Amino acid sequence: MPTSASSSPPPAAPSAAGAVSATPPALEPVQARFIELFVAAAEALGVPRSLGEIYGVLYASPRPLSFQDIVDRLALSKGSVSQGLRTLRSLGAIRAAGLPDDRREYFEPETELRTLVGGLLRDRISPHLEHGRQRLDRVGAEISAGKGLSRAEAAVLRARVQKLENWRRKGAALLPVLTRVLS
Amino acid sequence: MPTSASSSPPPAAPSAAGAVSATPPALEPVQARFIELFVAAAEALGVPRSLGEIYGVLYASPRPLSFQDIVDRLALSKGSVSQGLRTLRSLGAIRAAGLPDDRREYFEPETELRTLVGGLLRDRISPHLEHGRQRLDRVGAEISAGKGLSRAEAAVLRARVQKLENWRRKGAALLPVLTRVLS
DNA sequence: GATTTTGTTCAAAAAAAAATGAACAAATCA
DNA sequence: TGATTTGTTCATTTTTTTTTGAACAAAATC
């Protein structure tokens, strides 16, 4: 039998922090705090709360945790944890640490800021910057083709497209620098 | 009677772009394109689609638009437009341009990237960085107070808090630089 | 080869976020 | 003053996102 108890201790009264408690290996208050922190961050970044919880519980654990460990500690279904782990992995926010002696996978948090920020940017910003150029070109073409636009209006819009292309260019240049600066 | 027609022209067939059409002053295709662009950006940034539409219709207009102009051009309710304009203003993404001769307010987009990015960061990231320090200190204190932690475990967690504080510090240092770099 | 352990998938339920629209307010106009 | 225009507010509805949990699969174990 693995480290964590599996029989049922007297069901702990729902602990201080709202959605953070669980039944079997009740969370230390410190750990609940960590989790709150990452839940808040998740909200700020617009990613689902459960991702914050999962990353948080890993960040707050001195040792890697297995899938089941996570399900036990958080009040989340297996489904959520499974999908959450997948997402976090695809973002590069966590890493599988194979504890050698058993079959289960164990997870630990990636703690390099650059990796985390980089993952999010790659996932949510870069795609737009990449396909952006062609799309802007097409918009430019449509301005010329536009029936309902006076010459002066067309000029304003063309200037705006140009401005967008500048945004795009700056953005594309900035991303790599950003992740480099985040040591 | 104001500029925009108010009687009912034969209801234009729903125009190409999905949610972008409107009835009276049907959008030029170019303008629908602009709007699509900003709707996509809104999704990437995790702000409501309507904000993208509103900013988009302003960005795609060679002249400032009034509240009513926007309601007419977009398939959005007055309520949504009212709230959307307020949010965009508080983000600094649009600006009121008072056309002098009439009572209505007119809006135009803020086209400086730094203003836009700055607004979002100020709104969604800065608050966390500001209050972060104290919260981290409190977590640190709780680690020491923690009953269920071995000395070694406490050390790992303390190191993690330290790492978070580093993140926070770097983030706080980076934001101003960022908005400066975005010329 | 049956059973248990470990985890994934995905339709359905629940929760959260966004949009609507009717009631309301304030300014202008007749 | 009464009617109109311009917009705001906010309870309700709609839509979207997230979570759940039961059914399933694959590997290990008995």
Side-chain angles (χ1 to χ4, degrees):
Chain A
M1 186 183 291
T3 337
S4 38
S6 67
S7 52
S8 17
S15 81
V20 147
S21 80
T23 345
L27 248 30
E28 291 288 323
V30 208
Q31 302 181 310
R33 280 304 169 88
F34 270 108
I35 294 175
E36 286 168 21
L37 228 67
F38 287 105
V39 164
E43 274 166 16
L45 295 176
V47 306
R49 163 189 197 89
S50 61
L51 290 192
E53 290 191 36
I54 297 171
Y55 185 82
V57 82
L58 290 174
Y59 199 93
S61 167
R63 60 175 183 84
L65 298 180
S66 72
F67 177 92
Q68 193 57 49
D69 290 338
I70 299 172
V71 171
D72 290 344
R73 282 169 174 70
L74 299 174
L76 287 178
S77 69
K78 288 201 299 170
S80 288
V81 172
S82 178
Q83 292 187 180
L85 285 173
R86 176 149 43 129
T87 303
L88 286 172
R89 255 204 288 204
S90 88
L91 285 175
I94 65 178
R95 162 185 0 139
L99 288 209
D101 54 323
D102 85 46
R103 152 152 96 105
R104 288 168 292 186
E105 275 197 308
Y106 284 78
F107 300 94
E108 60 188 12
E110 183 59 64
T111 65
E112 288 307 316
L113 182 52
R114 65 181 308 173
T115 309
L116 297 171
V117 172
L120 265 181
L121 293 180
R122 184 176 345 102
D123 213 60
R124 297 176 46 178
I125 309 294
S126 300
H128 292 274
L129 296 179
E130 283 165 19
H131 299 304
R133 173 119 209 202
Q134 320 162 28
R135 288 205 295 192
L136 286 178
D137 285 349
R138 257 181 277 133
V139 176
E142 263 180 316
I143 292 176
S144 313
K147 303 293 173 187
L149 263 47
S150 79
R151 194 162 298 273
E153 288 172 336
V156 175
L157 292 194
R158 244 190 294 276
R160 296 234 168 125
V161 172
Q162 184 54 49
K163 199 123 198 175
L164 281 182
E165 170 56 14
N166 289 344
W167 292 6
R168 198 200 56 75
R169 198 166 30 68
K170 273 182 200 159
L174 198 57
L175 286 201
V177 177
L178 240 189
T179 61
R180 206 169 310 130
V181 162
L182 294 171
S183 79
Chain B
M1 186 183 291
T3 336
S4 37
S6 70
S7 51
S8 18
S15 81
V20 146
S21 80
T23 344
L27 249 30
E28 291 288 322
V30 207
Q31 303 182 309
R33 280 302 169 89
F34 270 108
I35 293 174
E36 285 167 22
L37 229 66
F38 287 105
V39 164
E43 274 165 17
L45 296 175
V47 306
R49 161 189 197 90
S50 61
L51 290 192
E53 291 191 36
I54 297 171
Y55 185 83
V57 81
L58 290 174
Y59 199 94
S61 166
R63 61 176 181 83
L65 298 180
S66 73
F67 178 91
Q68 192 59 48
D69 289 339
I70 299 172
V71 171
D72 291 345
R73 282 168 173 68
L74 265 20
L76 286 178
S77 68
K78 288 201 297 171
S80 289
V81 172
S82 178
Q83 292 187 181
L85 285 173
R86 174 149 44 131
T87 302
L88 287 173
R89 258 204 287 205
S90 87
L91 285 175
I94 65 176
R95 164 186 355 140
L99 288 208
D101 54 322
D102 88 47
R103 154 152 93 106
R104 290 169 291 186
E105 275 197 308
Y106 284 78
F107 300 94
E108 60 188 12
E110 182 59 64
T111 65
E112 287 306 317
L113 182 51
R114 65 181 308 175
T115 309
L116 296 172
V117 172
L120 266 181
L121 293 180
R122 183 176 346 101
D123 214 58
R124 296 176 48 178
I125 309 294
S126 299
H128 292 274
L129 296 179
E130 283 166 18
H131 300 304
R133 173 117 209 204
Q134 321 161 28
R135 288 206 295 193
L136 286 178
D137 285 351
R138 257 179 279 134
V139 176
E142 264 181 315
I143 291 176
S144 313
K147 304 292 173 188
L149 262 46
S150 79
R151 195 163 296 273
E153 288 172 336
V156 175
L157 292 192
R158 245 189 294 275
R160 296 233 168 127
V161 172
Q162 184 55 49
K163 199 122 197 174
L164 281 181
E165 170 57 13
N166 289 345
W167 292 6
R168 199 200 56 75
R169 199 166 30 67
K170 273 182 199 159
L174 198 59
L175 288 200
V177 177
L178 239 188
T179 62
R180 206 170 309 130
V181 162
L182 293 171
S183 77

